[in-house]
Amino acid sequence: MKIRIQDRNLGIILILPSLILFVGLLLYPLGYGIYISFFSKHLLSKDLAFIGLKNYIWLFRNPDFWQALWHSVLWAGSTVSLQVILGTAVALLLHQPYKGRSIARGLVLFPYMIPIVSVVLIWMLMYSALYGVINHLLLKLGLIDSAIAWLSSPRSAMVSVVLVGLWKFFPFVVITLLARLQIIPLDLYEAARIDGATAWDQFWDITIPQLRDILFIVVLLRTIWMFNNFDVIFLLTGGGPLRATMTLPVMVYEQAFESYMMGRGSSIAVLMFVLLIIIMTIYFKTFKQQEAL
Amino acid sequence: MEMAKNFFEKRVNRRKFIRDSAIIGGGLAAMTAFPKVGRTAAKKLRLITPEADPTQVKVWREAFEAFAAKHPGVEVMGEYKKWDDVTKKLAADLAVGSPPDLVAGSSKPDFVAEQFKRGYCVEMSKVVDAIGRDDFYSSALQAWQYGGKQMAIPYGSQGPVLWYRKDIFAEKGLKPPVTWDDYMDVAEKTTDVKKGFYGAVFPYGRTWNTHLQVLNCIWSAGGFVFDEKLNVAFSSPETRTALTYYRDMARFSPPDAGKYGFRECSNAFVSGSSATTFYWGRVLSHLYKMAKDLVPKSGCVPNPRKKYTKTCLNFDEMYINKTPNTEEAIEFVKFFFQRENVLKMLWVVPGHVVPTQKSLAQKYLEHPWLKENPDIAKALAEAPSYAVAETKESPDHPFNYKMVAVVGNMVIPDCIQKIIIGKEPVEKAVSWAHNKMVELTKDIKA
């Protein structure tokens, strides 16, 4: 017996798995997270006690929250901008024809391919005061008198984690921009040269405008990812020393799994979500306005 | 195969392809959702442990295989975690309703009590009876009792000692330190910052090791975190004396000790970068495996004291969470506590933990590394005798169910970081920690 399915019904059937996944994996956890943020809930307890906005009030009155928010902005802002600058420079370099370019293109992807745990172990060893290569070189060169505690001094900890964040994630910018660079029509450059444009003019008036759309997406994605990034900072410093690298995702973990306060953890996560939506809305609007000009 | 062949030969229309893919996809999804359908599935027990040196992992695997051979249809799978992560992982697992069936070596009676009082764990008295109650040191069993009930069974106990370099001490005419003043003198004389060599390793990372080492100093000075009625007693002249000493000793420690946990403290000594370090017996096997030339040059003595020689007593224990596999988990515990299995686990890191079963006390000392180093073996074997559990700071203290909040929130490491890294006055930091402890523990009920 042949079962005939109408095209309309087939469409619904085909959408159904995605819909179930969307509700199950996105809407439900999101809704539950928002719901929990209005309750006092011990991680190990099944009991929920409704406390209204108390978690949010606690957060807004807590200087640790504002400090963590500032660190998150600093972390996301500095890593994304540095990734874009370095990524663009390396992409332009890898776009030039020279011997060994294919190998260089492969090698540049390495940091992005290495698992984060390995990256963190490598950098922790490099930063070590006892046997780290960075301190060793600086001592050898006579630039410092004694080893620097890169990750355990509040002054250097944020810079040190930003450096790891830059190294680990800039290849994403490279591969995305490189793909776009390869489809810029060469006759644009040729015409510019005929008109007497310098290399800088060509870069500024052809390359950058051509990269504009892809840079928009790259900045958007990387900002979301870096703002929500947990593993790099957690594994390198755990948010310390003295909360010098405490970002909002690490604070969520601290509240939920160290203080066992799920409600407070959820309220931070909800605020992060709201903040990202606000930032992205502003970003989209600004971009559209500039595009209209 | 036929489908693929037809597909590549373009004999399959789109509708048929989608239908067949849906059938295959649905079948795979069903197999994932109902793994027991259509095949004889082994019961899989999860065991989480931070006792995870590569050699320990090997012994765990051997134990799992031996158990599976005796209990067909039951498989034990090990999950190996870092010391500082284990309770967080367990808490997360409990929160989502999928706790591991077994936990080995958490060393956290406060955390286990938190689970036990909420009814997540199995009462182990009958298991102790089945293994042989009389064979256990009663103090070891008592350390894992909550409200008179046995929440876990310890298979090893340990106390930290001070490891020191005999050769460097001899070269400089120094004796192993007994008091805090001795130790400061020794640390000063052996530190050479320009050569990257340090006289001491006082960790002040936001880690459990920092918590324990600071606690050792507070107790040695005569202070407590809680009084006998479990009120916070952190702010005291003794605590301030201890933290002032800790701050001063940090000057002779590696500059990045502000990130140190357990491994880093051992590594500093084993890599030949420090003249001393506080650590447990694991240093002996680290020396044998990574710096054998340092074995004859190393020794250990009780921690230097202010008033008392009193350190943290820790245990490697085993407990069972209530899951559908509880019966099999109990069988595994009984199997593990067979003499030869416990001995194998203790011998894999000789000296790190000493047996809690009387029948193993002598046999345990027959390990070649312990026989070759009788002074070290003696110091390590004696260490638990002058140590107290952090959940029972003195014989007059009841079981401290509030300590879990202090440990989990890292209040003591935060306090010492404020003093050493933040350069805050000791009194201010101690007062901050005291108030924080009061706030964190005020709502905790027995």
Side-chain angles (χ1 to χ4, degrees):
Chain A
M1 189 184 76
K2 263 193 168 179
I3 302 169
R4 297 289 307 169
I5 304 171
Q6 285 182 353
D7 278 353
R8 190 176 162 275
N9 293 338
L10 181 67
I12 293 168
I13 292 168
L14 291 177
I15 288 170
L16 209 58
S18 309
L19 193 70
I20 293 167
L21 286 175
F22 179 73
V23 172
L25 299 178
L26 204 78
L27 281 190
Y28 174 74
L30 182 67
Y32 187 70
I34 296 170
Y35 173 76
I36 282 284
S37 71
F38 298 108
F39 289 83
S40 168
K41 186 186 182 307
H42 190 285
L43 185 68
L44 301 181
S45 170
K46 286 162 190 156
D47 303 331
L48 282 171
F50 182 74
I51 53 165
L53 291 171
K54 276 188 181 166
N55 283 330
Y56 291 96
I57 294 167
W58 174 84
L59 265 185
F60 289 131
R61 285 182 178 164
N62 188 346
D64 287 347
F65 168 74
W66 296 107
Q67 189 195 38
L69 175 60
W70 165 240
H71 288 158
S72 293
V73 172
L74 195 66
W75 157 254
S78 54
T79 48
V80 172
S81 51
L82 289 171
Q83 282 167 28
V84 169
I85 294 167
L86 183 67
T88 310
V90 174
L92 289 168
L93 203 67
L94 292 176
H95 187 53
Q96 304 305 313
Y98 54 86
K99 213 177 171 186
R101 185 175 70 168
S102 305
I103 295 168
R105 281 181 179 178
L107 283 175
V108 90
L109 286 177
F110 259 56
Y112 203 60
M113 285 156 56
I114 302 172
I116 190 69
V117 176
S118 310
V119 169
V120 166
L121 281 176
I122 292 165
W123 278 91
M124 275 167 94
L125 274 175
M126 283 166 53
Y127 280 137
S128 167
L130 291 183
Y131 19 72
V133 67
I134 297 173
N135 275 313
H136 178 75
L137 286 175
L138 293 174
L139 283 165
K140 276 266 173 204
L141 293 169
L143 296 172
I144 52 173
D145 292 331
S146 59
I148 294 172
W150 293 103
L151 294 169
S152 47
S153 157
R155 274 181 297 180
S156 57
M158 184 54 99
V159 176
S160 305
V161 292
V162 165
L163 198 61
V164 179
L166 166 67
W167 185 82
K168 167 75 185 151
F169 298 112
F170 88 93
F172 176 83
V173 183
V174 176
I175 43 171
T176 336
L177 295 191
L178 194 57
R180 182 66 185 88
L181 281 171
Q182 286 171 355
I183 55 166
I184 298 176
L186 291 174
D187 45 3
L188 288 177
Y189 292 101
E190 207 178 322
R193 270 196 298 275
I194 292 166
D195 289 345
T198 61
W200 174 255
D201 292 335
Q202 289 173 41
F203 170 71
W204 197 248
D205 295 324
I206 301 171
T207 310
I208 290 292
Q210 291 287 326
L211 292 179
R212 209 175 114 97
D213 287 354
I214 197 75
L215 272 173
F216 171 78
I217 298 294
V218 165
V219 171
L220 180 81
L221 289 176
R222 287 253 50 98
T223 305
I224 295 171
W225 291 341
M226 295 315 288
F227 193 77
N228 287 327
N229 185 277
F230 167 77
D231 42 19
V232 174
I233 290 185
F234 179 74
L235 292 170
L236 278 170
T237 62
L242 291 176
R243 307 186 78 84
T245 56
M246 182 63 75
T247 54
L248 290 176
V250 183
M251 197 175 168
V252 172
Y253 181 86
E254 181 195 42
Q255 287 303 317
F257 298 107
E258 288 180 16
S259 303
Y260 305 132
M261 292 180 170
M262 281 296 281
R264 283 184 182 174
S266 293
S267 62
I268 303 170
V270 170
L271 283 175
M272 282 174 63
F273 177 67
V274 173
L275 267 169
L276 272 177
I277 288 177
I278 294 169
I279 293 167
M280 290 312 139
T281 310
I282 296 168
Y283 183 65
F284 266 101
K285 284 199 169 170
T286 315
F287 186 78
K288 277 192 176 174
Q289 275 172 1
Q290 282 185 355
E291 215 173 28
L293 287 174
Chain B
M1 277 302 286
E2 196 190 343
M3 185 183 159
K5 195 179 161 198
N6 288 340
F7 179 77
F8 286 114
E9 288 172 7
K10 296 184 181 172
R11 290 208 304 251
V12 177
N13 63 34
R14 192 178 55 178
R15 203 173 272 267
K16 190 169 184 310
F17 176 72
I18 291 169
R19 189 198 64 194
D20 290 351
S21 302
I23 292 167
I24 293 167
L28 288 171
M31 279 169 72
T32 314
F34 308 103
K36 289 179 189 172
V37 178
R39 59 192 159 127
T40 0
K43 268 211 167 189
K44 287 183 178 170
L45 271 63
R46 286 171 62 215
L47 180 146
I48 285 187
T49 181
E51 289 293 352
D53 263 3
T55 45
Q56 286 177 303
V57 171
K58 191 170 167 270
V59 172
W60 281 121
R61 284 190 185 143
E62 284 168 10
F64 300 156
E65 280 167 21
F67 179 73
K70 285 190 179 174
H71 298 82
V74 184
E75 235 178 85
V76 187
M77 293 179 303
E79 291 176 26
Y80 309 99
K81 306 290 167 199
K82 268 176 69 181
W83 284 101
D84 285 303
D85 295 339
V86 71
T87 51
K88 291 161 196 167
K89 168 69 181 158
L90 290 168
D93 280 2
L94 282 163
V96 295
S98 62
D101 303 286
L102 293 142
V103 180
S106 82
S107 279
K108 298 257 175 81
D110 51 339
F111 178 78
V112 182
E114 188 70 20
Q115 289 180 66
F116 191 77
K117 75 180 182 192
R118 292 173 195 275
Y120 289 125
C121 312
V122 173
E123 213 276 324
M124 307 279 277
S125 291
K126 285 182 184 166
V127 187
V128 173
D129 290 334
I131 297 166
R133 183 175 292 276
D134 293 342
D135 194 26
F136 283 97
Y137 294 108
S138 57
S139 57
L141 287 179
Q142 275 165 18
W144 290 91
Q145 286 167 0
Y146 180 77
K149 291 181 177 170
Q150 197 71 43
M151 53 186 184
I153 310 175
Y155 60 86
S157 64
Q158 56 177 182
V161 290
L162 181 75
W163 289 87
Y164 72 100
R165 285 281 296 275
K166 291 195 276 192
D167 56 331
I168 291 168
F169 275 48
E171 191 185 298
K172 295 189 181 282
L174 301 167
K175 283 182 181 171
V178 176
T179 65
W180 284 6
D181 289 341
D182 296 343
Y183 194 17
M184 194 167 286
D185 182 50
V186 160
E188 194 164 8
K189 285 178 176 157
T190 50
T191 298
D192 188 341
V193 175
K194 289 215 165 155
K195 284 186 182 168
F197 190 82
Y198 301 90
V201 184
F202 274 62
Y204 48 100
R206 204 169 184 266
T207 61
W208 190 36
N209 190 22
T210 300
H211 168 89
L212 295 176
Q213 303 303 349
V214 175
L215 212 52
N216 289 335
C217 290
I218 294 171
W219 287 341
S220 182
F224 292 101
V225 181
F226 290 87
D227 65 17
E228 290 90 343
K229 289 181 180 167
L230 301 189
N231 298 309
V232 176
F234 192 73
S235 183
S236 69
E238 291 83 4
T239 300
R240 288 190 280 275
T241 304
L243 298 196
T244 305
Y245 164 71
Y246 206 97
R247 177 198 63 193
D248 294 344
M249 288 300 287
R251 288 181 295 146
F252 309 116
S253 303
D256 54 355
K259 241 199 85 56
Y260 279 19
F262 289 104
R263 290 297 159 96
E264 293 85 353
C265 289
S266 172
N267 288 349
F269 185 78
V270 176
S271 66
S273 305
S274 73
T276 65
T277 192
F278 292 127
Y279 212 82
W280 292 260
R282 197 186 290 273
V283 167
L284 183 64
S285 57
H286 284 171
L287 286 170
Y288 266 99
K289 284 172 200 159
M290 290 179 274
K292 210 169 175 187
D293 57 316
L294 289 184
V295 174
K297 297 175 185 171
S298 302
C300 62
V301 289
N303 278 14
R305 63 167 187 265
K306 177 72 178 169
K307 282 186 190 164
Y308 310 104
T309 303
K310 185 177 168 186
T311 53
C312 274
L313 178 62
N314 292 106
F315 290 94
D316 274 353
E317 88 294 357
M318 201 169 264
Y319 70 90
I320 300 171
N321 282 310
K322 287 179 186 166
T323 68
N325 300 326
T326 295
E327 277 179 35
E328 290 79 7
I330 290 173
E331 285 310 309
F332 181 78
V333 173
K334 288 180 189 168
F335 169 79
F336 177 80
F337 270 90
Q338 286 171 14
R339 220 164 152 257
E340 61 277 14
N341 291 334
V342 175
L343 197 62
K344 222 187 239 184
M345 187 50 79
L346 299 183
W347 266 358
V348 76
V349 190
H352 187 53
V353 285
V354 296
T356 52
Q357 287 163 286
K358 295 167 201 165
S359 60
L360 289 174
Q362 280 310 311
K363 182 75 181 162
Y364 169 74
L365 294 169
E366 287 173 18
H367 188 281
W369 293 355
L370 296 173
K371 280 169 93 172
E372 281 169 25
N373 301 280
D375 293 341
I376 290 177
K378 189 168 174 275
L380 293 173
E382 283 173 4
S385 66
Y386 51 81
V388 295
E390 58 181 332
T391 43
K392 197 166 164 48
E393 293 183 79
S394 81
D396 299 328
H397 278 71
F399 184 93
N400 189 344
Y401 53 87
K402 292 181 177 179
M403 189 59 102
V404 67
V406 175
V407 180
N409 285 277
M410 296 277 169
V411 184
I412 293 177
D414 282 346
C415 176
I416 199 68
Q417 283 204 339
K418 278 174 180 281
I419 295 167
I420 299 172
I421 301 175
K423 314 270 184 228
E424 267 188 29
V426 172
E427 190 154 348
K428 189 181 169 196
V430 169
S431 173
W432 169 85
H434 183 99
N435 294 335
K436 177 100 180 168
M437 287 177 192
V438 171
E439 186 203 323
L440 288 168
T441 56
K442 66 177 188 238
D443 296 326
I444 300 180
K445 304 273 184 300

